Amino acid sequence: MKLDDCVLTYAQLHDAAASVAGDLRSRGVVPGDRVGLVLPNVPAFPILFYGALLTGAVVVPMNPLLKDREVRYYLEDSGMKIVYGWDGGGDVVRQAATAAGITGIVVPATGPTELGGSPITEPVERAPADTAVILYTSGTTGSPKGAELTHHNMSSNASTTVETLIEAGPGDVIMGCLPLFHVFGLTCGLNAAVLAGSLLTLISRFDPGKALEVIGRDRVTVFEGVPTMYAAMLHHVDAEVAEMGSLRTCIAGGAAMPVEILHAFEERFGCEIYEGYGLSETAPIACFNQPGHERRPGTIGLPVRGCELRTVDDQGFDVPTGEPGEIAICGENVMKGYWNRQEATAVAIPDGWFRTGDIATKDADGYYTIVDRKKDLIIRGGYNVYPREVEEVLYEHPAVAEAAVVGIPHTELGEEIGAAVALKPGETTDPDELRHFVRGRLAAYKYPRIIWLVDSLPKGPTGKILRREVVPPPSGVRPPGSARHR
């Protein structure tokens, strides 16, 4: 594993993780305790991740772009015992940990240096059905929920990735530019690389120029990314001269890959892109275009090994071939449930099949194609953004009476975040001020870039705001930031 000039052998990784495990034990962490990580793609992440697992703890990865109020929610909801941040992330972790009344530790990018206790070199025994990771994912209603992924979920999906998708081995170099706190990067990047014995070369935060440089420098053979990464690299000024001849396999997920981007990238860089589909709740890989099978651009391919898919109606019955239905998933990759959310788990998995909220069609050959989302989830540049969370922050503004957050089509990001806002009588503000207000309270990828003021929002018979009837400004152009009264 490496990050530029910082190189970590597998022996060094194991020793460092063992020392972390011993330190956690000395701090009273026991099997089943939750340990949080708020770090970017730096060597400290895998050291702490595997160190926590060695003790039998449950790891709760979090986005380092989150604000302290967001981190605090995860700390308190999970009943976390200890949380780690990195020394380039400001005081967010310390502030959240202090507010939650738990231990917060900030470490350098290369990993913790002051450790107590004796190293734990052998993992504490855990059952396959025991929880290994809790990944927080929001619905369109309610607070974020923690998806409990078991040791079997994580290990089996990593094996499926290595053996049937990227076909990696010790001679491969995998690009680690997907966030390791995200299930895609965690399973298909970090865990897959360790399982295969491959070199994982990290980029702390994705930059297309840096990605092109590292691919050439480290002779990357496997690239994993979301569609916006492929587009950014393809259109970068250095794309024509980049040394990309080592690339053989690329996988794409997180959002729909534009077919024209897929073909142009393959033609320019001489590789193959396999597009697929997964969710936090499925660890994540569920359906993919796979080596050895016909690739069908525009589809999400076939169910992966150990996983079954169906398209069902609202009653859970299969819909006819070619007709749209909600994707339901069953298999070794499906989560144990939502942490401390029995009712939400029962709704999501009513009959052993996880309801994804995504609408797809299945053709006669078993290939699936996403056509819509049943839920109001917005995917901006591969990041999930949930409207209610953004709306709740807008409602904290003293001038806001009503707000509806929607996704607006965007050529590069897939979707941009838009918000229609109605003001309280007699109040005044403008879109720029509202944008600044939300930006200071949520992660950078969540705040709405496009805000427009309206007299009122469309509602149903019960008075519920109907997001689906919200009409953005023409062509998604942000309206002028002039103040408006109501």
mmCIF file with all atom_site columns, all heavy atoms in Angstrom, residues 399-402 421-429 453-457 459 483-486:
data_model
loop_
_atom_site.group_PDB
_atom_site.id
_atom_site.type_symbol
_atom_site.label_atom_id
_atom_site.label_alt_id
_atom_site.label_comp_id
_atom_site.label_asym_id
_atom_site.label_entity_id
_atom_site.label_seq_id
_atom_site.pdbx_PDB_ins_code
_atom_site.Cartn_x
_atom_site.Cartn_y
_atom_site.Cartn_z
_atom_site.occupancy
_atom_site.B_iso_or_equiv
_atom_site.pdbx_formal_charge
_atom_site.auth_seq_id
_atom_site.auth_comp_id
_atom_site.auth_asym_id
_atom_site.auth_atom_id
_atom_site.pdbx_PDB_model_num
ATOM 1   N N   . ALA A 1 399 ? -36.030 32.777 8.042  1.00 0.00 ? 399 ALA A N   1
ATOM 2   C CA  . ALA A 1 399 ? -36.916 33.326 7.012  1.00 0.00 ? 399 ALA A CA  1
ATOM 3   C C   . ALA A 1 399 ? -37.655 32.255 6.229  1.00 0.00 ? 399 ALA A C   1
ATOM 4   O O   . ALA A 1 399 ? -38.566 32.564 5.457  1.00 0.00 ? 399 ALA A O   1
ATOM 5   C CB  . ALA A 1 399 ? -36.125 34.205 6.046  1.00 0.00 ? 399 ALA A CB  1
ATOM 6   N N   . VAL A 1 400 ? -37.291 30.991 6.411  1.00 0.00 ? 400 VAL A N   1
ATOM 7   C CA  . VAL A 1 400 ? -37.824 29.921 5.563  1.00 0.00 ? 400 VAL A CA  1
ATOM 8   C C   . VAL A 1 400 ? -39.113 29.346 6.130  1.00 0.00 ? 400 VAL A C   1
ATOM 9   O O   . VAL A 1 400 ? -39.165 28.928 7.296  1.00 0.00 ? 400 VAL A O   1
ATOM 10  C CB  . VAL A 1 400 ? -36.782 28.806 5.382  1.00 0.00 ? 400 VAL A CB  1
ATOM 11  C CG1 . VAL A 1 400 ? -37.385 27.606 4.656  1.00 0.00 ? 400 VAL A CG1 1
ATOM 12  C CG2 . VAL A 1 400 ? -35.581 29.342 4.603  1.00 0.00 ? 400 VAL A CG2 1
ATOM 13  N N   . ALA A 1 401 ? -40.138 29.309 5.278  1.00 0.00 ? 401 ALA A N   1
ATOM 14  C CA  . ALA A 1 401 ? -41.414 28.685 5.655  1.00 0.00 ? 401 ALA A CA  1
ATOM 15  C C   . ALA A 1 401 ? -41.515 27.265 5.129  1.00 0.00 ? 401 ALA A C   1
ATOM 16  O O   . ALA A 1 401 ? -41.954 26.361 5.836  1.00 0.00 ? 401 ALA A O   1
ATOM 17  C CB  . ALA A 1 401 ? -42.585 29.519 5.136  1.00 0.00 ? 401 ALA A CB  1
ATOM 18  N N   . GLU A 1 402 ? -41.134 27.059 3.874  1.00 0.00 ? 402 GLU A N   1
ATOM 19  C CA  . GLU A 1 402 ? -41.218 25.749 3.242  1.00 0.00 ? 402 GLU A CA  1
ATOM 20  C C   . GLU A 1 402 ? -39.996 25.534 2.358  1.00 0.00 ? 402 GLU A C   1
ATOM 21  O O   . GLU A 1 402 ? -39.449 26.490 1.791  1.00 0.00 ? 402 GLU A O   1
ATOM 22  C CB  . GLU A 1 402 ? -42.481 25.642 2.369  1.00 0.00 ? 402 GLU A CB  1
ATOM 23  C CG  . GLU A 1 402 ? -43.782 25.789 3.129  1.00 0.00 ? 402 GLU A CG  1
ATOM 24  C CD  . GLU A 1 402 ? -44.981 25.823 2.202  1.00 0.00 ? 402 GLU A CD  1
ATOM 25  O OE1 . GLU A 1 402 ? -44.784 26.039 0.992  1.00 0.00 ? 402 GLU A OE1 1
ATOM 26  O OE2 . GLU A 1 402 ? -46.106 25.626 2.679  1.00 0.00 ? 402 GLU A OE2 1
ATOM 27  N N   . VAL A 1 421 ? -37.667 27.251 -2.307 1.00 0.00 ? 421 VAL A N   1
ATOM 28  C CA  . VAL A 1 421 ? -37.889 27.768 -0.959 1.00 0.00 ? 421 VAL A CA  1
ATOM 29  C C   . VAL A 1 421 ? -38.981 28.826 -0.971 1.00 0.00 ? 421 VAL A C   1
ATOM 30  O O   . VAL A 1 421 ? -38.980 29.737 -1.811 1.00 0.00 ? 421 VAL A O   1
ATOM 31  C CB  . VAL A 1 421 ? -36.582 28.374 -0.385 1.00 0.00 ? 421 VAL A CB  1
ATOM 32  C CG1 . VAL A 1 421 ? -36.839 29.004 0.970  1.00 0.00 ? 421 VAL A CG1 1
ATOM 33  C CG2 . VAL A 1 421 ? -35.500 27.306 -0.288 1.00 0.00 ? 421 VAL A CG2 1
ATOM 34  N N   . ALA A 1 422 ? -39.917 28.684 -0.050 1.00 0.00 ? 422 ALA A N   1
ATOM 35  C CA  . ALA A 1 422 ? -40.943 29.713 0.179  1.00 0.00 ? 422 ALA A CA  1
ATOM 36  C C   . ALA A 1 422 ? -40.652 30.369 1.521  1.00 0.00 ? 422 ALA A C   1
ATOM 37  O O   . ALA A 1 422 ? -40.317 29.688 2.498  1.00 0.00 ? 422 ALA A O   1
ATOM 38  C CB  . ALA A 1 422 ? -42.326 29.096 0.178  1.00 0.00 ? 422 ALA A CB  1
ATOM 39  N N   . LEU A 1 423 ? -40.768 31.705 1.550  1.00 0.00 ? 423 LEU A N   1
ATOM 40  C CA  . LEU A 1 423 ? -40.423 32.451 2.759  1.00 0.00 ? 423 LEU A CA  1
ATOM 41  C C   . LEU A 1 423 ? -41.642 32.713 3.639  1.00 0.00 ? 423 LEU A C   1
ATOM 42  O O   . LEU A 1 423 ? -42.783 32.692 3.176  1.00 0.00 ? 423 LEU A O   1
ATOM 43  C CB  . LEU A 1 423 ? -39.769 33.780 2.384  1.00 0.00 ? 423 LEU A CB  1
ATOM 44  C CG  . LEU A 1 423 ? -38.530 33.707 1.494  1.00 0.00 ? 423 LEU A CG  1
ATOM 45  C CD1 . LEU A 1 423 ? -37.980 35.108 1.254  1.00 0.00 ? 423 LEU A CD1 1
ATOM 46  C CD2 . LEU A 1 423 ? -37.462 32.809 2.113  1.00 0.00 ? 423 LEU A CD2 1
ATOM 47  N N   . LYS A 1 424 ? -41.366 32.981 4.908  1.00 0.00 ? 424 LYS A N   1
ATOM 48  C CA  . LYS A 1 424 ? -42.419 33.365 5.847  1.00 0.00 ? 424 LYS A CA  1
ATOM 49  C C   . LYS A 1 424 ? -42.914 34.777 5.499  1.00 0.00 ? 424 LYS A C   1
ATOM 50  O O   . LYS A 1 424 ? -42.135 35.595 4.973  1.00 0.00 ? 424 LYS A O   1
ATOM 51  C CB  . LYS A 1 424 ? -41.875 33.344 7.267  1.00 0.00 ? 424 LYS A CB  1
ATOM 52  C CG  . LYS A 1 424 ? -41.430 31.971 7.755  1.00 0.00 ? 424 LYS A CG  1
ATOM 53  C CD  . LYS A 1 424 ? -40.789 32.066 9.136  1.00 0.00 ? 424 LYS A CD  1
ATOM 54  C CE  . LYS A 1 424 ? -40.284 30.705 9.600  1.00 0.00 ? 424 LYS A CE  1
ATOM 55  N NZ  . LYS A 1 424 ? -39.596 30.800 10.908 1.00 0.00 ? 424 LYS A NZ  1
ATOM 56  N N   . PRO A 1 425 ? -44.184 35.073 5.766  1.00 0.00 ? 425 PRO A N   1
ATOM 57  C CA  . PRO A 1 425 ? -44.696 36.416 5.477  1.00 0.00 ? 425 PRO A CA  1
ATOM 58  C C   . PRO A 1 425 ? -43.864 37.496 6.156  1.00 0.00 ? 425 PRO A C   1
ATOM 59  O O   . PRO A 1 425 ? -43.513 37.395 7.329  1.00 0.00 ? 425 PRO A O   1
ATOM 60  C CB  . PRO A 1 425 ? -46.113 36.369 6.070  1.00 0.00 ? 425 PRO A CB  1
ATOM 61  C CG  . PRO A 1 425 ? -46.487 34.924 6.040  1.00 0.00 ? 425 PRO A CG  1
ATOM 62  C CD  . PRO A 1 425 ? -45.209 34.180 6.324  1.00 0.00 ? 425 PRO A CD  1
ATOM 63  N N   . GLY A 1 426 ? -43.491 38.494 5.374  1.00 0.00 ? 426 GLY A N   1
ATOM 64  C CA  . GLY A 1 426 ? -42.737 39.612 5.907  1.00 0.00 ? 426 GLY A CA  1
ATOM 65  C C   . GLY A 1 426 ? -41.237 39.402 5.984  1.00 0.00 ? 426 GLY A C   1
ATOM 66  O O   . GLY A 1 426 ? -40.491 40.329 6.301  1.00 0.00 ? 426 GLY A O   1
ATOM 67  N N   . GLU A 1 427 ? -40.765 38.188 5.692  1.00 0.00 ? 427 GLU A N   1
ATOM 68  C CA  . GLU A 1 427 ? -39.333 37.901 5.777  1.00 0.00 ? 427 GLU A CA  1
ATOM 69  C C   . GLU A 1 427 ? -38.665 38.117 4.420  1.00 0.00 ? 427 GLU A C   1
ATOM 70  O O   . GLU A 1 427 ? -39.311 38.060 3.376  1.00 0.00 ? 427 GLU A O   1
ATOM 71  C CB  . GLU A 1 427 ? -39.107 36.469 6.231  1.00 0.00 ? 427 GLU A CB  1
ATOM 72  C CG  . GLU A 1 427 ? -39.576 36.166 7.634  1.00 0.00 ? 427 GLU A CG  1
ATOM 73  C CD  . GLU A 1 427 ? -38.700 36.822 8.685  1.00 0.00 ? 427 GLU A CD  1
ATOM 74  O OE1 . GLU A 1 427 ? -37.567 37.239 8.354  1.00 0.00 ? 427 GLU A OE1 1
ATOM 75  O OE2 . GLU A 1 427 ? -39.149 36.913 9.842  1.00 0.00 ? 427 GLU A OE2 1
ATOM 76  N N   . THR A 1 428 ? -37.364 38.348 4.463  1.00 0.00 ? 428 THR A N   1
ATOM 77  C CA  . THR A 1 428 ? -36.614 38.531 3.230  1.00 0.00 ? 428 THR A CA  1
ATOM 78  C C   . THR A 1 428 ? -35.251 37.846 3.330  1.00 0.00 ? 428 THR A C   1
ATOM 79  O O   . THR A 1 428 ? -34.649 37.788 4.402  1.00 0.00 ? 428 THR A O   1
ATOM 80  C CB  . THR A 1 428 ? -36.395 40.027 2.921  1.00 0.00 ? 428 THR A CB  1
ATOM 81  O OG1 . THR A 1 428 ? -35.680 40.162 1.703  1.00 0.00 ? 428 THR A OG1 1
ATOM 82  C CG2 . THR A 1 428 ? -35.614 40.704 4.045  1.00 0.00 ? 428 THR A CG2 1
ATOM 83  N N   . THR A 1 429 ? -34.814 37.298 2.227  1.00 0.00 ? 429 THR A N   1
ATOM 84  C CA  . THR A 1 429 ? -33.469 36.732 2.103  1.00 0.00 ? 429 THR A CA  1
ATOM 85  C C   . THR A 1 429 ? -33.225 36.519 0.620  1.00 0.00 ? 429 THR A C   1
ATOM 86  O O   . THR A 1 429 ? -34.074 36.881 -0.211 1.00 0.00 ? 429 THR A O   1
ATOM 87  C CB  . THR A 1 429 ? -33.317 35.418 2.890  1.00 0.00 ? 429 THR A CB  1
ATOM 88  O OG1 . THR A 1 429 ? -31.937 35.027 2.846  1.00 0.00 ? 429 THR A OG1 1
ATOM 89  C CG2 . THR A 1 429 ? -34.171 34.310 2.295  1.00 0.00 ? 429 THR A CG2 1
ATOM 90  N N   . LEU A 1 453 ? -36.551 31.034 -5.162 1.00 0.00 ? 453 LEU A N   1
ATOM 91  C CA  . LEU A 1 453 ? -37.632 31.403 -4.249 1.00 0.00 ? 453 LEU A CA  1
ATOM 92  C C   . LEU A 1 453 ? -38.976 31.324 -4.962 1.00 0.00 ? 453 LEU A C   1
ATOM 93  O O   . LEU A 1 453 ? -39.105 31.727 -6.122 1.00 0.00 ? 453 LEU A O   1
ATOM 94  C CB  . LEU A 1 453 ? -37.411 32.804 -3.699 1.00 0.00 ? 453 LEU A CB  1
ATOM 95  C CG  . LEU A 1 453 ? -36.085 33.011 -2.941 1.00 0.00 ? 453 LEU A CG  1
ATOM 96  C CD1 . LEU A 1 453 ? -35.971 34.446 -2.454 1.00 0.00 ? 453 LEU A CD1 1
ATOM 97  C CD2 . LEU A 1 453 ? -35.962 32.038 -1.781 1.00 0.00 ? 453 LEU A CD2 1
ATOM 98  N N   . VAL A 1 454 ? -39.965 30.789 -4.272 1.00 0.00 ? 454 VAL A N   1
ATOM 99  C CA  . VAL A 1 454 ? -41.313 30.626 -4.820 1.00 0.00 ? 454 VAL A CA  1
ATOM 100 C C   . VAL A 1 454 ? -42.323 31.143 -3.805 1.00 0.00 ? 454 VAL A C   1
ATOM 101 O O   . VAL A 1 454 ? -42.026 31.310 -2.622 1.00 0.00 ? 454 VAL A O   1
ATOM 102 C CB  . VAL A 1 454 ? -41.604 29.141 -5.149 1.00 0.00 ? 454 VAL A CB  1
ATOM 103 C CG1 . VAL A 1 454 ? -40.658 28.635 -6.237 1.00 0.00 ? 454 VAL A CG1 1
ATOM 104 C CG2 . VAL A 1 454 ? -41.492 28.268 -3.897 1.00 0.00 ? 454 VAL A CG2 1
ATOM 105 N N   . ASP A 1 455 ? -43.543 31.382 -4.298 1.00 0.00 ? 455 ASP A N   1
ATOM 106 C CA  . ASP A 1 455 ? -44.603 31.829 -3.396 1.00 0.00 ? 455 ASP A CA  1
ATOM 107 C C   . ASP A 1 455 ? -45.108 30.688 -2.525 1.00 0.00 ? 455 ASP A C   1
ATOM 108 O O   . ASP A 1 455 ? -45.457 30.877 -1.359 1.00 0.00 ? 455 ASP A O   1
ATOM 109 C CB  . ASP A 1 455 ? -45.767 32.426 -4.193 1.00 0.00 ? 455 ASP A CB  1
ATOM 110 C CG  . ASP A 1 455 ? -45.382 33.744 -4.851 1.00 0.00 ? 455 ASP A CG  1
ATOM 111 O OD1 . ASP A 1 455 ? -44.555 34.476 -4.264 1.00 0.00 ? 455 ASP A OD1 1
ATOM 112 O OD2 . ASP A 1 455 ? -45.893 34.029 -5.944 1.00 0.00 ? 455 ASP A OD2 1
ATOM 113 N N   . SER A 1 456 ? -45.161 29.484 -3.094 1.00 0.00 ? 456 SER A N   1
ATOM 114 C CA  . SER A 1 456 ? -45.606 28.308 -2.349 1.00 0.00 ? 456 SER A CA  1
ATOM 115 C C   . SER A 1 456 ? -45.121 27.065 -3.079 1.00 0.00 ? 456 SER A C   1
ATOM 116 O O   . SER A 1 456 ? -44.694 27.137 -4.237 1.00 0.00 ? 456 SER A O   1
ATOM 117 C CB  . SER A 1 456 ? -47.131 28.283 -2.223 1.00 0.00 ? 456 SER A CB  1
ATOM 118 O OG  . SER A 1 456 ? -47.731 28.198 -3.509 1.00 0.00 ? 456 SER A OG  1
ATOM 119 N N   . LEU A 1 457 ? -45.192 25.944 -2.407 1.00 0.00 ? 457 LEU A N   1
ATOM 120 C CA  . LEU A 1 457 ? -44.757 24.680 -2.976 1.00 0.00 ? 457 LEU A CA  1
ATOM 121 C C   . LEU A 1 457 ? -45.958 23.780 -3.256 1.00 0.00 ? 457 LEU A C   1
ATOM 122 O O   . LEU A 1 457 ? -46.979 23.862 -2.570 1.00 0.00 ? 457 LEU A O   1
ATOM 123 C CB  . LEU A 1 457 ? -43.801 23.969 -2.012 1.00 0.00 ? 457 LEU A CB  1
ATOM 124 C CG  . LEU A 1 457 ? -42.451 24.653 -1.819 1.00 0.00 ? 457 LEU A CG  1
ATOM 125 C CD1 . LEU A 1 457 ? -41.688 24.031 -0.667 1.00 0.00 ? 457 LEU A CD1 1
ATOM 126 C CD2 . LEU A 1 457 ? -41.622 24.575 -3.095 1.00 0.00 ? 457 LEU A CD2 1
ATOM 127 N N   . LYS A 1 459 ? -48.522 20.807 -3.190 1.00 0.00 ? 459 LYS A N   1
ATOM 128 C CA  . LYS A 1 459 ? -48.885 19.924 -2.092 1.00 0.00 ? 459 LYS A CA  1
ATOM 129 C C   . LYS A 1 459 ? -49.991 18.970 -2.501 1.00 0.00 ? 459 LYS A C   1
ATOM 130 O O   . LYS A 1 459 ? -50.797 19.260 -3.388 1.00 0.00 ? 459 LYS A O   1
ATOM 131 C CB  . LYS A 1 459 ? -49.330 20.736 -0.868 1.00 0.00 ? 459 LYS A CB  1
ATOM 132 C CG  . LYS A 1 459 ? -48.295 21.707 -0.347 1.00 0.00 ? 459 LYS A CG  1
ATOM 133 C CD  . LYS A 1 459 ? -48.827 22.499 0.826  1.00 0.00 ? 459 LYS A CD  1
ATOM 134 C CE  . LYS A 1 459 ? -47.791 23.486 1.347  1.00 0.00 ? 459 LYS A CE  1
ATOM 135 N NZ  . LYS A 1 459 ? -47.517 24.560 0.377  1.00 0.00 ? 459 LYS A NZ  1
ATOM 136 N N   . ALA A 1 483 ? -32.866 39.597 -3.643 1.00 0.00 ? 483 ALA A N   1
ATOM 137 C CA  . ALA A 1 483 ? -33.752 39.335 -2.508 1.00 0.00 ? 483 ALA A CA  1
ATOM 138 C C   . ALA A 1 483 ? -35.190 39.291 -2.977 1.00 0.00 ? 483 ALA A C   1
ATOM 139 O O   . ALA A 1 483 ? -35.577 39.872 -3.987 1.00 0.00 ? 483 ALA A O   1
ATOM 140 C CB  . ALA A 1 483 ? -33.569 40.434 -1.455 1.00 0.00 ? 483 ALA A CB  1
ATOM 141 N N   . ARG A 1 484 ? -35.971 38.531 -2.202 1.00 0.00 ? 484 ARG A N   1
ATOM 142 C CA  . ARG A 1 484 ? -37.379 38.423 -2.536 1.00 0.00 ? 484 ARG A CA  1
ATOM 143 C C   . ARG A 1 484 ? -38.186 38.449 -1.235 1.00 0.00 ? 484 ARG A C   1
ATOM 144 O O   . ARG A 1 484 ? -37.818 37.808 -0.269 1.00 0.00 ? 484 ARG A O   1
ATOM 145 C CB  . ARG A 1 484 ? -37.644 37.129 -3.295 1.00 0.00 ? 484 ARG A CB  1
ATOM 146 C CG  . ARG A 1 484 ? -39.126 36.915 -3.617 1.00 0.00 ? 484 ARG A CG  1
ATOM 147 C CD  . ARG A 1 484 ? -39.301 35.767 -4.570 1.00 0.00 ? 484 ARG A CD  1
ATOM 148 N NE  . ARG A 1 484 ? -40.729 35.567 -4.848 1.00 0.00 ? 484 ARG A NE  1
ATOM 149 C CZ  . ARG A 1 484 ? -41.162 34.871 -5.847 1.00 0.00 ? 484 ARG A CZ  1
ATOM 150 N NH1 . ARG A 1 484 ? -40.350 34.319 -6.711 1.00 0.00 ? 484 ARG A NH1 1
ATOM 151 N NH2 . ARG A 1 484 ? -42.466 34.699 -6.049 1.00 0.00 ? 484 ARG A NH2 1
ATOM 152 N N   . HIS A 1 485 ? -39.289 39.168 -1.266 1.00 0.00 ? 485 HIS A N   1
ATOM 153 C CA  . HIS A 1 485 ? -40.158 39.249 -0.095 1.00 0.00 ? 485 HIS A CA  1
ATOM 154 C C   . HIS A 1 485 ? -41.386 38.394 -0.348 1.00 0.00 ? 485 HIS A C   1
ATOM 155 O O   . HIS A 1 485 ? -41.736 38.097 -1.486 1.00 0.00 ? 485 HIS A O   1
ATOM 156 C CB  . HIS A 1 485 ? -40.596 40.694 0.164  1.00 0.00 ? 485 HIS A CB  1
ATOM 157 C CG  . HIS A 1 485 ? -39.447 41.614 0.489  1.00 0.00 ? 485 HIS A CG  1
ATOM 158 N ND1 . HIS A 1 485 ? -39.067 41.902 1.767  1.00 0.00 ? 485 HIS A ND1 1
ATOM 159 C CD2 . HIS A 1 485 ? -38.578 42.290 -0.331 1.00 0.00 ? 485 HIS A CD2 1
ATOM 160 C CE1 . HIS A 1 485 ? -38.037 42.740 1.737  1.00 0.00 ? 485 HIS A CE1 1
ATOM 161 N NE2 . HIS A 1 485 ? -37.726 42.978 0.476  1.00 0.00 ? 485 HIS A NE2 1
ATOM 162 N N   . ARG A 1 486 ? -41.992 37.998 0.737  1.00 0.00 ? 486 ARG A N   1
ATOM 163 C CA  . ARG A 1 486 ? -43.279 37.322 0.624  1.00 0.00 ? 486 ARG A CA  1
ATOM 164 C C   . ARG A 1 486 ? -44.212 37.883 1.655  1.00 0.00 ? 486 ARG A C   1
ATOM 165 O O   . ARG A 1 486 ? -43.837 38.028 2.792  1.00 0.00 ? 486 ARG A O   1
ATOM 166 C CB  . ARG A 1 486 ? -43.109 35.809 0.831  1.00 0.00 ? 486 ARG A CB  1
ATOM 167 C CG  . ARG A 1 486 ? -44.431 35.070 0.714  1.00 0.00 ? 486 ARG A CG  1
ATOM 168 C CD  . ARG A 1 486 ? -44.248 33.574 0.783  1.00 0.00 ? 486 ARG A CD  1
ATOM 169 N NE  . ARG A 1 486 ? -45.553 32.939 0.646  1.00 0.00 ? 486 ARG A NE  1
ATOM 170 C CZ  . ARG A 1 486 ? -46.095 32.121 1.541  1.00 0.00 ? 486 ARG A CZ  1
ATOM 171 N NH1 . ARG A 1 486 ? -45.439 31.825 2.617  1.00 0.00 ? 486 ARG A NH1 1
ATOM 172 N NH2 . ARG A 1 486 ? -47.278 31.571 1.342  1.00 0.00 ? 486 ARG A NH2 1
#
